[in-house]
Amino acid sequence: MSTERLRRIAEATRDAGEMSVIELAALTGASEMTIRRDLEVLAAQGVLERYRGGARSLLLRGEEPPYALRVTEDVEAKQRIAAEVAALLADGESVVVDSGTTCVAVARALHDRRMTVVPLSLHAMNALVGAPSLTLLFPGGAPRPGELALTGPLTEASLASLRFDTAVLGCCGLTAAHGVTGHDLADAAVKRAAMRSASRVIAVADSSKFARTALAVVTPVSELDVVVTDTAAPTAEVTALEAAGVVVRQV
């Protein structure tokens, strides 16, 4: 099963509202039988609703695809980004790790380190439970369905009561012009709270995030210290980030 094909089907049905099996087969070059199997997978993930001969999207225009779909995208790039972030962190640091699939990869990369980590999603917490040398702190808050990101006043109050050496920040969108943006307003507020409590901010974003600007503004790029991305990040955006004083690491 092709993750890229699933992504294209999800995006195409979201943009069009609904599409037929015949249209999706023409779009992807796959057989109609394959498309029907893909639609069953996406329907099970809550991305779309099947009907005879096609499917209609359950995602609003501009809405982020569900975690279950994104977690299988660009896995190798996210692992390289996570390894680079881990190399930038020193043992003994206190680190807050944001939600999102790339940040979960960062959490996995920190499993065997000697540091204090506050993860901001239940997915990241699960990746760190049982880590032998890690001091793991759980903030309060309400987990968002699917994403399991912790949000709300309890999460923000927990972050305000702590001080971190580094905040590892996930991005739904990242451009030099619009800064870091997010799809969810409550999640954006938690990201800002994490930044306020940290001495250094490392933003993580695979190259696809540079083509997106989401609804909620998190921060201008001038507030970022480092951006870690992959080698496919657009050169113009990388240059603009560096001109704004951001250190960009491409891996």
Side-chain angles (χ1 to χ4, degrees):
M1 183 180 299
S2 167
T3 300
E4 174 62 21
R5 189 175 62 247
L6 290 175
R7 183 190 63 78
R8 290 184 69 191
I9 292 170
E11 290 182 351
T13 54
R14 179 186 60 189
D15 292 344
E18 61 181 78
M19 292 189 74
S20 69
V21 170
I22 294 173
E23 289 171 329
L24 290 168
L27 174 69
T28 62
S31 69
E32 292 182 23
M33 182 178 296
T34 296
I35 294 298
R36 290 189 184 94
R37 286 197 295 265
D38 289 345
L39 293 179
E40 291 295 339
V41 171
L42 293 171
Q45 295 176 352
V47 175
L48 48 78
E49 179 184 37
R50 289 292 317 276
Y51 62 80
R52 186 175 180 83
R56 62 179 58 88
S57 180
L58 296 177
L59 299 176
L60 300 176
R61 187 181 299 273
E63 188 175 29
E64 188 173 33
Y67 182 91
L69 185 59
R70 288 184 291 111
V71 76
T72 59
E73 295 179 346
D74 303 315
V75 173
E76 291 185 3
K78 291 172 183 176
Q79 290 173 342
R80 293 195 305 272
I81 290 169
E84 180 67 16
V85 172
L88 292 172
L89 300 174
D91 283 348
E93 280 200 50
S94 57
V95 183
V96 55
V97 179
D98 197 9
S99 60
T101 56
T102 307
C103 285
V104 171
V106 171
R108 293 194 184 102
L110 299 181
H111 185 275
D112 296 325
R113 299 290 298 274
R114 294 174 58 87
M115 55 180 58
T116 299
V117 178
V118 175
L120 296 180
S121 80
L122 299 186
H123 291 301
M125 288 182 190
N126 185 58
L128 292 170
V129 167
S133 304
L134 209 67
T135 299
L136 186 59
L137 301 178
F138 291 175
R144 288 169 51 206
E147 196 74 23
L148 299 185
L150 295 169
T151 60
L154 288 175
T155 310
E156 294 177 46
S158 295
L159 293 172
S161 69
L162 299 168
R163 291 295 178 269
F164 303 99
D165 294 302
T166 303
V168 179
L169 195 70
C171 308
C172 298
L174 173 62
T175 67
H178 299 292
V180 177
T181 52
H183 289 285
D184 185 86
L185 293 174
D187 185 53
V190 169
K191 293 179 190 295
R192 289 192 294 269
M195 291 179 62
R196 287 193 295 269
S197 291
S199 299
R200 174 176 65 159
V201 179
I202 299 175
V204 294
D206 65 76
S207 54
S208 68
K209 303 299 172 61
F210 288 87
R212 303 173 186 168
T213 299
L215 172 66
V217 174
V218 176
T219 184
V221 295
S222 59
E223 297 300 313
L224 304 177
D225 296 291
V226 182
V227 168
V228 182
T229 185
D230 57 67
T231 54
T235 301
E237 286 290 347
V238 171
T239 300
L241 288 172
E242 291 175 334
V246 182
V247 174
V248 180
R249 301 286 190 108
Q250 291 184 266
V251 293

